[in-house]
Structure formats: structure tokens, C-alpha cells
């Protein structure tokens, strides 16, 4: 069984096997979590994104690169659905978590840190984003021993902790 916990903090500072990046479809860096991971991790992450994913990734899919200068081994990049662009299918949001765990299993990652995918610039309301994250992570078969949900916001931490109590 996978232990799921929540922490208030910076995802780029998590000492885990893999960090999950809420990436853009193009896989070329961006703002928010994506921009922070690329800034802190360094140019090697972008170089690998370009070579490994020349056409980017589909919404709901995931792929990996090494972690560059981050305190992790790998970055798992996943593309969340953008509600502002009309991508309102919650199953695509759930797919981000399932596919990320599948990639983590392929890599042999035992510890994985996730941001709450879709709850920022992509417009998903926090309750839906957190509920989808916790329910999907709890129900998905995986060899990952520990998942940490990381947020820099107190209100999001309280929402995650409340959902974890219900799970």
C-alpha cells in the first residue's frame, strides 16, 4: 500500500526519487511548477525534453527525464487538461496521476512528489483537483512506496489533508 502524505513547501526542494512536473503539452518549460522545475533543474531538463519528446506529450500522458540539478533522480512530466481551453474531462486529470505512477514504476522510483496538477494556470478548482489526485493515487496499483503531495499554499494544504482523512 502506498503512503500518501501532504507537505507545505517547494516541490523543487523535495528529496525523492522522482518529482512530477505539471508540464505544458509542448514540454518546453513554462510558468508555475513547470517553470520552477526547469529553472532549478537547469538546462539539461529542457535539452532532454526536446530530444525525448520532439512533439511534446498528449494531455493526460506522462514521460520522464533526469532531474538535472534537482535533489531527485528523475522528473516525470505530465500534461494536465486545461479547463480554460475547454479540456473539462476529469478522467484526463486522473490519467495524469495514473500515468505518472506507471512511469515511476518503470523507473523503479519508490518515492514520488506531486504538485496538485491543474489547480493553477489550467483552471481546475482546488477541491476537484485535490479530490481527483487523492482518489486516483489511492486507487492506482503501483510499486511506489510513498507519494508526497506538495503545495506552497496553506489553504491547499488544508484541503489536501482533509481529503486524505476521507480517503
Amino acid at each position: 500500500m502506498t503512503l500518501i502524505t501532504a507537505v507545505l513547501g517547494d516541490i523543487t526542494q523535495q528529496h525523492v526519487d522522482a518529482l512530477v512536473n505539471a508540464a505544458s503539452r509542448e514540454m518546453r518549460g513554462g510558468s508555475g511548477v513547470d517553470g520552477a522545475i526547469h529553472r532549478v533543474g537547469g538546462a539539461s531538463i529542457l535539452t532532454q525534453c526536446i530530444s525525448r519528446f520532439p512533439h511534446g506529450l498528449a494531455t493526460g500522458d506522462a514521460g520522464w527525464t533526469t532531474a538535472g540539478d534537482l535533489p531527485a533522480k528523475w522528473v516525470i512530466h505530465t500534461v494536465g487538461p486545461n479547463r480554460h481551453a475547454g479540456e473539462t474531462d476529469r478522467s484526463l486529470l486522473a490519467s495524469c496521476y495514473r500515468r505518472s505512477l506507471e512511469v515511476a514504476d518503470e523507473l523503479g522510483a519508490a518515492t514520488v512528489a506531486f504538485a496538485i496538477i491543474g489547480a493553477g494556470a489550467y483552471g481546475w478548482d482546488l477541491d476537484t483537483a485535490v479530490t481527483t489526485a487523492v482518489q486516483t493515487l489511492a486507487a492506482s496499483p503501483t510499486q511506489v512506496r510513498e507519494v508526497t503531495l506538495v503545495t506552497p499554499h496553506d489553504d491547499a494544504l488544508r484541503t489536501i489533508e482533509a481529503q486524505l482523512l476521507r480517503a
Side-chain angles (χ1 to χ4, degrees):
M1 178 167 210
T2 303
L3 174 65
I4 304 171
T5 59
V7 298
L8 185 67
D10 179 345
I11 195 163
T12 68
Q13 301 305 307
Q14 302 304 304
H15 292 265
V16 293
D17 294 332
L19 300 175
V20 177
N21 179 21
S24 66
R25 191 174 291 125
E26 295 78 22
M27 301 282 296
R28 301 301 181 259
S31 61
V33 170
D34 194 19
I37 284 175
H38 279 267
R39 270 191 313 280
V40 176
S44 67
I45 295 174
L46 179 58
T47 299
Q48 289 177 57
C49 282
I50 292 168
S51 66
R52 292 180 55 86
F53 310 102
H55 305 291
L57 279 173
T59 301
D61 202 0
W64 66 273
T65 64
T66 58
D69 297 328
L70 293 161
K73 296 176 188 171
W74 303 285
V75 175
I76 298 171
H77 306 267
T78 190
V79 180
N82 185 339
R83 284 190 65 84
H84 299 302
E87 296 175 326
T88 59
D89 183 351
R90 187 173 169 215
S91 70
L92 288 171
L93 190 57
S95 178
C96 292
Y97 292 96
R98 269 194 309 280
R99 282 291 300 131
S100 294
L101 289 175
E102 289 169 2
V103 170
D105 286 343
E106 291 168 14
L107 294 169
T111 56
V112 179
F114 283 84
I116 300 299
I117 299 161
Y122 280 9
W124 288 82
D125 69 90
L126 184 61
D127 288 333
T128 300
V130 168
T131 299
T132 302
V134 171
Q135 288 177 349
T136 305
L137 291 167
S140 296
T142 184
Q143 297 301 307
V144 173
R145 288 192 328 261
E146 184 175 345
V147 167
T148 305
L149 296 170
V150 183
T151 180
H153 306 292
D154 289 323
D155 60 331
L157 180 65
R158 286 189 297 276
T159 301
I160 296 165
E161 290 173 335
Q163 183 61 39
L164 286 171
L165 288 173
R166 288 191 285 273

